[in-house]
Amino acid sequence: MTNHSETTGSFENGDIPDAAKPGRADGAPCERPGDEHQVTLRTPAELADALPYLLGYRPEDSIVLAALRDRDGRGRFGGRARLGIPANPDDWAGAAGQLVHGLVHGSERRGARPEQMVAYLCQEPGPGETGRDVMERLRPLAQTLRVECGALDVPVVEALCISAGRFWSYCCDEESCCPAAGLPMGLPGTSVLAAAATYAGIQVRGSLRELRARMLPRGTAAVDGQAAALDAAATTLVSRILDADGRSEVAGETLETAERVMRRLAGAPPVSGVPAEDLRDDQLLGDEEAAALILGLQDRTTRDRAAAWMEGEEAAPAMRLWRALARRCVVPYGEHAAAPLTLAGWVAWSTGDELEAREALAMALGADPDYLFARLLHQACNEGLDPESIRRCLREGRKRDAHTEGGASNDEGHGGAPVERGPAEPSSAEPSSAEPSSAEPSSAAPSSAGSPSAVPPGRRRRSRALASAHGVRRRTRARAHEPGTGIVRPRTSSEGGRPGSTRPGGARPDASGTAATGRQGPRPEGTRTGERGTDGDSECP
């Protein structure tokens, strides 16, 4: 299935009186726990208006489920989950079952089993369609959701379709209440619920498409210059990273450059608007600097040390830097975006922004589905785990670096992650070092090819091959190449190279479920090249 799913966590914003009958859900999902003021939702119109505040953004092409549970005779919103609507109706049953079971069982693990459910279908009309056409076309999907929920003894008390600025109820056929032509949605920000949400500090951040746009490569005239800088950086850095001493030097240079750019970003004057902010950051980051950082972060140890910039005053400029680097991973270096996207997702999750964390981590997995760090963080975030255990490990690793290494690379305050501290390179694609997971870091199992010690330092049991004589990058299981192997810039289709794009040899979905062709530039065998995880993206909890 090519749809990205996520949960919005087990937020419980306010109370809802029990529904009086099917088709009617009274609710109050807008206050934070412990707040004195509550908003009661009594009609389908009020539930439709509440959706962006339940999620924190305006969903597009989405199935959304919101769980309700009883507390003192009043309903209360529990977990929420979203899944893209499959383009093929044959996939609707599987998507509905996946979403319903994930939300119900995930809520059970947290000790709050849903007692009722509100379902939303959000999709804009296609060419020649009206909103009503969309509603009728999606009616079988709404019925499938109701059946799946009913099979788990969780009745759907309201199912709404939102399209073309109007909404329809699948549970109510009263013309006086829910006419066949639908009812218009209220203007954003004008309802009592919007005022209450603003008072409670709940923000609606636009659409997921707008959020992803901040981390996608820019299609501007500067693409060629950035690609040339990446080629030049690969030519000089690959041979150094393949050397044990050179690898340590590159790591120090990468972290020093990152800190310098972060200070520059932090000191930049503020501008108004998200697009202007991103443009300002792009202008403050040179092509050569971006290329050196992107290539340097392909080394797992360097990336883990950079992950320690996750809180306090360092978090905001680090987040801006990782977004900017992801935007610089132009064709044919799209797969390199997995590292900065994962770092962006980690910082977002660490600072409490679960929405951007899920999107960044999903995009990282779209860029490289084998990127284990992104997979573990994505799963942990989706399951609503506390990131503090990972933060604690990174803090301890940073202190350990400062005390044990004592070199210039740590005088600047470089972060250190709880990974291996031995002199050898990782010996297999299944990393022998610990990666942050949902609790404490855990080591991956050794490869069936033998124990990690069976491979000499500086070798990897599985390698992404360097470019062939024809200039085409291949993913292969091969022997590790000797240092000094020549590098040829890969040639790829001009349609690829973005996070979430496919690579030659197979389609890879991005966060929104679309597929495209992508790039892969050559990588040194000493860098992080293909951390393996479990198959399939993390889904709802």
Side-chain angles (χ1 to χ4, degrees):
M1 190 172 301
T2 60
N3 290 275
H4 166 60
S5 73
E6 79 272 351
T7 61
T8 61
S10 56
F11 308 133
E12 298 175 352
N13 305 340
D15 293 333
I16 310 165
D18 287 331
K21 62 178 182 177
R24 286 292 170 274
D26 296 337
C30 246
E31 297 296 326
R32 292 179 171 179
D35 286 351
E36 295 180 359
H37 302 287
Q38 299 172 353
V39 176
T40 300
L41 308 181
R42 294 187 174 89
T43 67
E46 291 172 340
L47 282 174
D49 182 64
L51 179 58
Y53 303 97
L54 291 175
L55 297 179
Y57 62 93
R58 303 185 184 281
E60 301 170 317
D61 290 331
S62 299
I63 311 168
V64 180
L65 292 179
L68 306 178
R69 61 189 183 89
D70 178 73
R71 177 176 293 182
D72 300 327
R74 297 174 64 85
R76 190 178 185 90
F77 275 122
R80 278 82 89 186
R82 187 203 74 93
L83 186 69
I85 298 177
N88 188 346
D90 293 339
D91 294 331
W92 287 356
Q98 173 186 340
L99 194 64
V100 171
H101 284 257
L103 179 56
V104 172
H105 295 321
S107 298
E108 287 177 337
R109 288 196 301 271
R110 291 190 292 266
R113 190 181 195 277
E115 297 175 0
Q116 297 174 331
M117 200 79 74
V118 177
Y120 299 86
L121 299 178
C122 307
Q123 191 173 75
E124 290 304 301
E129 268 191 324
T130 65
R132 179 174 173 79
D133 293 336
V134 173
M135 183 272 293
E136 293 294 348
R137 176 167 53 81
L138 296 180
R139 186 182 290 276
L141 175 56
Q143 181 60 26
T144 301
L145 287 169
R146 297 175 72 180
V147 170
E148 291 287 346
C149 289
L152 296 179
D153 295 324
V154 182
V156 175
V157 296
E158 184 57 89
L160 300 174
C161 177
I162 299 175
S163 181
R166 305 181 76 83
F167 73 90
W168 291 260
S169 171
Y170 290 112
C171 297
C172 177
D173 56 4
E174 297 178 12
E175 185 68 21
S176 60
C177 174
C178 300
L183 292 172
M185 297 286 294
L187 293 176
T190 59
S191 65
V192 174
L193 178 60
T198 301
Y199 177 78
I202 299 174
Q203 298 180 351
V204 177
R205 302 176 56 183
S207 68
L208 294 181
R209 184 179 305 170
E210 295 169 343
L211 189 61
R212 295 184 192 112
R214 304 193 69 183
M215 296 177 281
L216 288 172
R218 300 299 172 85
T220 64
V223 168
D224 290 340
Q226 185 61 68
L230 284 163
D231 288 340
T235 301
T236 58
L237 291 180
V238 166
S239 59
R240 295 179 61 197
I241 294 176
L242 290 175
D243 177 75
D245 294 334
R247 182 186 183 193
S248 177
E249 294 174 358
V250 171
E253 293 169 4
T254 300
L255 295 170
E256 182 179 354
T257 301
E259 286 187 321
R260 183 174 64 250
V261 175
M262 286 166 56
R263 289 193 294 269
R264 188 185 309 156
L265 294 174
V271 295
S272 177
V274 169
E277 291 175 357
D278 292 342
L279 179 60
R280 173 203 58 196
D281 293 346
D282 289 338
Q283 293 172 343
L284 293 172
L285 180 63
D287 288 347
E288 290 75 16
E289 286 178 321
L293 289 171
I294 290 169
L295 268 295
L297 289 172
Q298 303 311 304
D299 176 68
R300 187 176 65 231
T301 303
T302 306
R303 177 211 66 197
D304 289 346
R305 293 170 68 183
W309 299 323
M310 63 198 167
E311 56 191 348
E313 296 180 354
E314 294 174 328
M319 187 69 183
R320 290 164 59 186
L321 175 59
W322 307 144
R323 287 197 201 105
L325 291 180
R327 294 193 293 267
R328 297 299 185 97
C329 292
V330 298
V331 176
Y333 290 88
E335 191 173 279
H336 284 70
L341 285 170
T342 301
L343 290 170
W346 161 237
V347 175
W349 185 34
S350 177
T351 55
D353 188 349
E354 294 186 5
L355 172 60
E356 185 160 7
R358 289 189 192 92
E359 288 307 305
L361 293 170
M363 292 173 68
L365 291 172
D368 184 353
D370 298 327
Y371 207 72
L372 183 58
F373 190 26
R375 187 175 300 282
L376 293 174
L377 291 176
H378 192 231
Q379 180 178 355
C381 184
N382 275 345
E383 292 181 354
L385 301 179
D386 187 350
E388 177 56 26
S389 60
I390 305 176
R391 284 195 295 258
R392 185 169 57 250
C393 290
L394 290 168
R395 292 187 201 108
E396 292 172 355
R398 188 172 186 173
K399 293 177 181 177
R400 184 164 53 247
D401 276 353
H403 285 90
T404 60
E405 295 182 6
S409 63
N410 279 286
D411 291 340
E412 298 283 335
H414 300 149
V419 295
E420 75 275 15
R421 297 302 170 193
E425 293 262 333
S427 59
S428 71
E430 269 74 25
S432 59
S433 65
E435 290 277 9
S437 66
S438 59
E440 298 294 335
S442 59
S443 299
S447 168
S448 59
S451 65
S453 60
V455 179
R459 294 295 189 94
R460 296 182 69 91
R461 199 171 280 115
R462 179 177 181 268
S463 169
R464 297 181 190 271
L466 296 178
S468 69
H470 299 289
V472 180
R473 174 262 179 205
R474 302 190 307 271
R475 179 188 295 269
T476 180
R477 294 183 178 273
R479 296 179 181 175
H481 300 279
E482 295 297 329
T485 302
I487 299 173
V488 182
R489 175 177 173 178
R491 307 291 182 187
T492 61
S493 166
S494 61
E495 300 172 354
R498 295 171 29 154
S501 63
T502 60
R503 295 167 300 241
R508 298 290 189 185
D510 67 359
S512 60
T514 59
T517 55
R519 93 89 220 149
Q520 180 54 38
R523 286 190 181 172
E525 64 197 54
T527 60
R528 188 227 61 80
T529 59
E531 300 163 313
R532 300 287 297 178
T534 57
D535 291 336
D537 288 348
S538 300
E539 298 296 347
C540 30

